[in-house]
Structure formats: structure tokens, C-alpha cells
Amino acid sequence: MITTADDRGFPAALAAAFAHPFDYADGDGVDFEPFDAFLSAEETTDWFRAWTGNAEASGDVFRVFGCDGTGGYAAFWLVRPGRDLAEQPVVFLGSEGETGVVARDLADFLWVLADGLGPREAAEASGTGAGSRPDARRTAVAERFAPGRGQPAAVLVARAGEEFPGLDDWVMGLCR
């Protein structure tokens, strides 16, 4: 069941992936700060309206779980009706209007993190074949919660982009 407005706690797999801080490595690592819980429905809608410049837009289709240093957000995009939160794609919505589908679902996202990319890095690396920088702690989490799903991040991000090609057009259609 999709997380409701009243239930903002992370699924166990996501909480485990975020249990250790990300290594920014002076700009050469992962620029990502997970929140302690999903943003509230009100905070998400306020942000999405400001981000799109559209006072009528709703953030109901997102469960925002973290940000990068520039203020871009990572979120589940609730576009698969009737499907569990863990089956929804993960997206990055950058502070300057950048958009990117990072993973097809939570299991793929765990493996993107295990390969050493955060949401922004994955969105930027889409189609570039960015190199792997395995993260042992997050690999253990991915193996525990998504066994048999491991692939290089570049493959997972490319598949996500192929399956969900309309994110940018949808967002641009809402911008004012």
C-alpha cells in the first residue's frame, strides 16, 4: 500500500540504506542528505508549487526523502496506480529545474546507491556510463533487501529512463 499522508516513516530498506552518512569526499563523492522521514504532504506541496511556479500544482504524487547540497530533492514518484511505494520510481528534481528518473523502484535504487551514486549523481550520469564506486555498506543493504537485482548503476538508470521517459515533459507542463 502506498504511504498515506499520515504515514511518513521510511520503508525498512530505505531506512537501512540511509543508516550511514554519505561520503561527499570534497565534491567527488555523493552529495545527498537523507531526511529522517518523508516530507509532510503540506511541505511537499509548498515546495512543488514554488519549484514549478504553479499555485495550483500539488505535490501529492511525490514522497520526498532527501536533498542534495543545492536544494534538489529525491523522491518516489507515485505514477503506478495501486502499486506499493516500493514499486514506484525514484526521481531527482534539481534546484535549477533539472529532472531525472533515477530508478524504476526501491530495489533498483538500493543498487544505484550500492554502486556509489546518489540521486543527483545518478540523474546526471544518465546515459553517460558513469563509473562504479561501490559502497560496501549499501551493497550489503541491497543484497539483503533486493537480492538478485544487482546491476551497474548506469544500466539501472538507463532502464528507468526508458520506462519513464515523460517526467520532464510532465513537469514542464506544470511550470508557469
Side-chain angles (χ1 to χ4, degrees):
M1 171 79 55
I2 291 179
T3 303
T4 67
D6 295 333
D7 178 12
R8 293 290 164 167
F10 289 155
L14 194 62
F18 295 163
H20 300 283
F22 288 86
D23 184 8
Y24 184 60
D26 293 324
D28 193 35
V30 175
D31 181 8
F32 182 64
E33 184 67 34
F35 300 141
D36 293 329
F38 292 110
L39 287 184
S40 72
E42 296 80 17
E43 290 171 308
T44 301
T45 292
D46 288 348
W47 154 75
F48 195 59
R49 286 177 176 170
W51 193 72
T52 60
N54 182 343
E56 303 300 316
S58 168
D60 290 350
V61 297
F62 297 110
R63 294 297 178 268
V64 178
F65 56 79
C67 65
D68 73 349
T70 69
Y73 281 152
F76 285 98
W77 183 28
L78 309 180
V79 295
R80 290 179 165 156
R83 304 278 287 276
D84 187 71
L85 181 70
E87 297 176 82
Q88 304 293 337
V90 173
V91 298
F92 178 75
L93 304 162
S95 63
E96 300 299 317
E98 319 88 309
T99 64
V101 181
V102 173
R104 295 177 300 171
D105 56 24
L106 178 55
D108 281 1
F109 183 58
L110 295 176
W111 285 102
V112 168
L113 295 175
D115 206 22
L117 297 180
R120 182 181 57 82
E121 293 83 11
E124 289 177 352
S126 180
T128 66
S132 175
R133 298 178 300 201
D135 180 318
R137 288 179 175 165
R138 289 183 178 83
T139 297
V141 170
E143 288 171 345
R144 176 177 166 208
F145 289 99
R149 295 277 304 265
Q151 295 282 322
V155 170
L156 297 171
V157 173
R159 285 184 189 159
E162 290 168 8
E163 187 171 341
F164 299 98
L167 174 64
D168 194 61
D169 289 340
W170 177 76
V171 167
M172 291 300 121
L174 290 172
C175 289
R176 303 292 179 252

